[in-house]
């Protein structure tokens, strides 16, 4: 099916044509159309035009209204205040546009972007041999949502998980494993689950760290092992791979719990760019982008200074010949632009790394890897806070393990689902499954409904509440609609453009029509919280509609029942698709 023009875009075009017809001297003028409390839409563009043409805005507004074709889209248009246009659409236009959306399957009439490119999204970046904690949540959840949203608009998306799988700590870990070879063996030879894999990695990490800090000879052997690792010595690389593989077992178990798919080819960690580091440094030095300073290869910036007022450089290669994070990040940019042919690089990374990425991006621009045609953007996110407004810690002051947090969310949600289960007739299997969907959905939605750059409070009681701006509220709205559609039995949803709509029906219909425009904005600004806000408003408008317009009433004529079922069905489909783009499931019965 072809995409469906929204009512707003059709109206915008009609007004622009009327402006041109009534005021030929105006050139191409923007009607400045927006939703309004006083009518369906308000156009404010005539005020600016009147200033430009030195005319009376109310008179100009009257001229424009005279040039607008009667019938069809617009029911009523009035000139208000100093020259605003208040516009009310016909009920027929609303229902016919929604009917066209309903015909278009899962896409709901949402157009594909006119000029798709290739976006590489760098997100969900855990560290090998280290436990994932609450700080890893936001990159994974925000990144996965942006992948889905951009793909839905037609963008070619390449996922990249830049895991921490290289560096000096591996010398310590590998050396310890050489001296204690059975430490990573699986008991009984069975496959390990993620928790068991992390448990043995944790034990090995703590033991090797204790030895490293207390035994100078072990410390020296560990440092030699780093050199062997960087030189690609075979035994060392084989043992390093064991750490990576064992960590992946754990990563995948956590991502599976988060209801997120992470595929092996998308994991290209720091080690994936080793072969490019020397060449990256050579190019930067030969082109004068980087210079030698006290033996290190550095890039300087006029606007980046330390507390002492001296310039703080980006260190690409250290004095001892080792490579900094910058060398890896710059090599990754080269790979993504030159080999993956990316037009956009999107980094879903903690706001505290903003200075580092600002310097990396500027260096890449100076080197010519980023330019007018290839952009890099950091989708920076804030910190997860506890109820007390401080960074989220356990009672003992430790960072909260991500698995513990997800398990608790699922437990709380299962309790909420169980309380209503008897009324709906859920089986135990459904209670457990829905508890998982509601709990994980609650965690994701709390994250995604906050502007990414802001910190947010992690409050599970609020997250699994049936009231307020929560995913559970949206999931129950969806389940309620599915229940109504089941009760309707033989009566099928059908659009009836000839009917007059009640105010709650019109409000719901106009909002349903904005789904595509909302997604286009979210995709262009990388702000998934705006999709969450749209869906919450949709559920709220549906609740008002449900309260004010009886759907399955025997008092209603058959066509009214069918039309209201049609609005129910399109609302459910829009909620389902919107939530899926945020990575949240919508159970049919709750």
């Amino acid at each position: 099916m072809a995409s469906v023009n929204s009512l707003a875009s059709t109206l915008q075009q009609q007004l622009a044509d009327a402006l041109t017809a009534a005021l030929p001297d105006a050139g191409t003028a923007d009607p400045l159309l927006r939703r309004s409390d006083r009518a369906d839409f308000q156009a404010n563009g005539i005020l600016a035009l009147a200033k430009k043409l030195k005319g009376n805005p109310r008179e100009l507004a009257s001229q424009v209204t005279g040039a607008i074709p009667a019938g069809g889209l617009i029911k009523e248009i009035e000139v208000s205040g100093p020259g605003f246009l208040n516009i009310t659409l016909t009920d027929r236009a609303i229902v016919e546009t929604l009917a066209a959306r309903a015909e278009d399957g899962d896409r709901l009439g949402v157009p594909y972007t006119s000029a798709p490119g290739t976006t590489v999204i760098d997100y969900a970046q855990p560290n090998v041999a280290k436990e994932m904690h609450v700080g890893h949540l936001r990159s994974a959840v925000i990144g996965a949502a942006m992948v889905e949203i951009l793909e839905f608009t037609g963008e070619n998306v390449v996922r990249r998980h830049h895991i921490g799988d290289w560096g000096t700590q591996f010398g310590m870990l590998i050396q310890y494993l050489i001296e204690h070879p059975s430490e990573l063996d699986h008991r009984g030879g069975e496959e390990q689950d993620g928790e068991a894999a992390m448990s043995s990695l944790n034990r090995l990490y703590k033991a090797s760290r204790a030895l490293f800090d207390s035994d100078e000879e072990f410390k020296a052997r560990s440092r030699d092992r780093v050199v062997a690792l960087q030189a690609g010595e075979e035994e060392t690389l084989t043992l390093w791979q064991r750490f990576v593989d064992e960590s992946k077992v754990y990563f995948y178990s956590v991502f599976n719990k988060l209801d997120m798919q992470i595929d092996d080819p998308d994991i290209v960690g720091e080690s994936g760019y080793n072969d490019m580091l020397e060449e990256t440094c050579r190019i930067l030095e030969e082109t004068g982008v980087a210079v030698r300073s006290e033996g290190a290869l550095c890039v300087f910036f006029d606007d980046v200074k330390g507390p002492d007022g001296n310039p703080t450089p980006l260190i690409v290669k250290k004095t001892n010949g080792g490579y900094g994070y910058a060398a890896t990040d710059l090599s990754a940019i080269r790979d993504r632009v030159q080999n993956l042919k990316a037009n956009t690089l999107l980094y879903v990374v903690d706001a505290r790394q903003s200075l580092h990425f600002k310097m990396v991006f500027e260096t890449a621009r100076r080197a010519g890897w980023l330019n007018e045609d290839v952009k890099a953007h950091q989708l920076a996110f804030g910190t997860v806070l506890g109820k007390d407004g401080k960074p989220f810690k356990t009672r003992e002051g430790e960072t909260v393990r991500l698995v513990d947090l997800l398990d608790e969310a699922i437990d709380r949600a299962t309790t909420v689902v169980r309380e209503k289960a008897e009324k709906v007739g859920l089986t135990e299997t459904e209670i457990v499954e829905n508890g998982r969907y509601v709990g994980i959905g609650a965690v994701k939605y709390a994250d995604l409904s906050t502007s990414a750059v802001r910190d947010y409070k992690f409050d599970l009681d609020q997250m699994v509440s049936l009231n307020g701006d929560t995913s559970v509220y949206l999931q129950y709205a969806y389940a309620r609609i599915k229940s109504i559609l089941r009760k309707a039995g033989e009566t099928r949803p059908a659009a009836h453009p000839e009917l007059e709509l009640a105010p709650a029906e019109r409000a719901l219909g106009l909002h349903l029509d904005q789904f595509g425009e909302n997604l286009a904005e979210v995709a262009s600004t990388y702000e998934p919280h705006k999709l969450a806000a749209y869906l919450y408003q949709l559920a709220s408008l549906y609740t008002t509609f449900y309260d004010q317009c009886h759907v399955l009433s025997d008092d209603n004529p058959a066509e009214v029942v069918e039309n209201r079922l049609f609005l129910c069905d399109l609302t459910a489909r829009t909620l389902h698709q919107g939530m899926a783009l945020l990575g949240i499931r919508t159970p049919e019965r709750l």
Side-chain angles (χ1 to χ4, degrees), residues 350-368:
D350 192 312
R352 287 170 292 193
Q353 294 188 47
S354 292
L355 178 60
H356 169 76
F357 278 100
K358 179 185 170 188
M359 293 160 83
V360 165
F361 295 163
E362 176 55 30
T363 300
R365 265 192 290 276
R366 291 180 190 177

Side-chain angles (χ1 to χ4, degrees), residues 56-134:
N56 179 310
R58 280 187 70 88
E59 283 176 18
L60 290 179
S62 299
Q63 283 176 261
V64 171
T65 55
I68 291 172
L73 183 65
I74 297 171
K75 178 183 179 183
E76 192 182 337
I77 186 162
E78 62 156 359
V79 180
S80 146
F84 302 129
L85 296 181
N86 286 335
I87 301 155
T88 304
L89 305 184
T90 64
D91 291 346
R92 174 175 286 279
I94 293 171
V95 177
E96 284 178 347
T97 300
L98 295 182
R101 293 200 177 288
E103 285 287 306
D104 189 34
D106 292 341
R107 287 206 65 79
L108 302 166
V110 175
Y112 287 104
T113 183
S114 56
T118 295
T119 297
V120 175
I121 302 190
D122 189 325
Y123 70 108
Q125 309 107 345
N127 293 310
V128 165
K130 285 190 182 169
E131 198 139 28
M132 289 176 72
H133 55 77
V134 68

Side-chain angles (χ1 to χ4, degrees), residues 450-495:
T450 307
S451 171
V453 78
R454 287 176 51 201
D455 300 341
Y456 81 97
K457 287 184 185 176
F458 195 93
D459 180 349
L460 273 177
D461 293 326
Q462 171 56 30
M463 287 179 188
V464 298
S465 167
L466 301 177
N467 304 312
D469 188 3
T470 65
S471 67
V472 196
Y473 175 69
L474 301 179
Q475 287 167 322
Y476 267 104
Y478 176 81
R480 177 197 278 171
I481 299 172
K482 297 305 276 188
S483 169
I484 291 169
L485 293 170
R486 284 193 295 273
K487 277 184 197 156
E490 296 295 307
T491 311
R492 309 311 307 157

Side-chain angles (χ1 to χ4, degrees), residues 107 112 145-159 581:
R107 287 206 65 79
Y112 287 104
M146 282 314 309
V147 166
E148 295 298 328
I149 291 163
L150 287 170
E151 284 190 336
F152 192 75
T153 65
E155 183 77 356
N156 175 39
V157 176
V158 180
R159 300 158 173 81
L581 294 176

